[in-house]
Amino acid sequence: MTVLSGICLRLGVALPFLTMTVPILLPCDGCGQLASAEHIARRLQRLEWATRFRPIHIQALLLTASAPEADSDFLYSPGSTFRGQAGALLPALGISTVGKSSEEVLADFQKRGLVLAPLLECPLEPGTAPNETQALLEHHLPQALARIRRSLKPKRVLVISHELQPLAPQLTESALGCPVFYTFFAAPRGDLASDGSELAAIRAALPALAAQET
């Protein structure tokens, strides 16, 4: 108890600011950024959505840098119209969305043994500079490697984000326990590029990954 609060107690004076709870922001387990309650709730919601369509045996983990800001751009979001990141990725995988519900599309993605996961499980806070992004990625990398190796256990990892290129010396087969392929397809901030050569590269890499039987 502070001197001021002790005096107020003896005088019977209540100072509201003395009893207010000051929120304490702690680093998020999924990305390392300082997290509010809303930040944590959104992360848990995304994990719940993704877990629903997680294959028993993951043939290929498609690794991006961070989650998209809009939940509507998150591949596993229920009722998604597959815009943004998901909207570019699915055609590259040869997965049609025409006339299908989001559950049917995601079931097809799951059946192929594919998982799309960001190294940082949350969106970057607005205004995060590129050097800050790289610092977050480097700081969170050991935890992400442990999750991939111990929990996801994919047969292969396909790194598709340009922002992960500086981490190539750490994102190796010995670190992840499986072969690692680099087909840079995802642009900064989690969007996917539509460059023809990048589309061709990912299409060339994925058939061998996705066609394998569990």
Side-chain angles (χ1 to χ4, degrees):
M1 182 181 294
T2 66
V3 174
L4 178 58
S5 61
I7 293 173
C8 291
L9 182 63
R10 288 195 296 272
L11 294 176
V13 177
L15 293 183
F17 70 86
L18 294 176
T19 58
M20 290 176 59
T21 301
V22 179
I24 299 175
L25 300 181
L26 298 176
C28 173
D29 288 340
C31 66
Q33 300 176 98
L34 293 180
S36 63
E38 180 185 3
H39 179 113
I40 297 298
R42 289 188 66 195
R43 174 186 173 239
L44 294 177
Q45 181 65 84
R46 286 189 297 269
L47 286 174
E48 180 181 336
W49 289 337
T51 300
R52 184 181 176 194
F53 291 96
R54 175 174 162 179
I56 296 175
H57 301 289
I58 299 175
Q59 299 298 331
L61 171 65
L62 310 179
L63 189 64
T64 60
S66 60
E69 172 57 35
D71 284 342
S72 59
D73 292 343
F74 185 63
L75 175 68
Y76 297 102
S77 175
S80 172
T81 54
F82 303 115
R83 299 177 301 173
Q85 185 185 84
L89 178 62
L90 292 173
L93 301 176
I95 298 177
S96 174
T97 61
V98 179
K100 297 180 181 178
S101 67
S102 60
E103 289 197 356
E104 288 173 320
V105 173
L106 291 173
D108 190 358
F109 192 80
Q110 178 186 31
K111 184 178 180 180
R112 297 174 187 229
L114 299 174
V115 167
L116 176 66
L119 192 150
L120 300 177
E121 298 174 32
C122 309
L124 294 167
E125 294 295 331
T128 303
N131 63 322
E132 294 174 323
T133 299
Q134 286 303 316
L136 281 170
L137 290 168
E138 291 173 8
H139 183 267
H140 193 67
L141 181 61
Q143 186 170 331
L145 293 177
R147 176 172 178 257
I148 293 171
R149 188 174 59 251
R150 299 172 187 172
S151 177
L152 298 178
K153 300 179 182 178
K155 292 188 176 181
R156 288 176 172 83
V157 171
L158 186 59
V159 180
I160 64 175
S161 175
H162 288 283
E163 290 174 298
L164 297 179
Q165 188 169 11
L167 302 181
Q170 291 94 341
L171 288 169
T172 62
E173 181 172 351
S174 60
L176 291 169
C178 64
V180 180
F181 298 82
Y182 285 86
T183 305
F184 296 121
F185 182 64
R189 297 294 178 182
D191 296 325
L192 293 185
S194 58
D195 179 82
S197 62
E198 293 180 334
L199 288 171
I202 197 170
R203 285 169 180 158
L206 277 171
L209 305 180
Q212 298 212 7
E213 298 296 331
T214 57

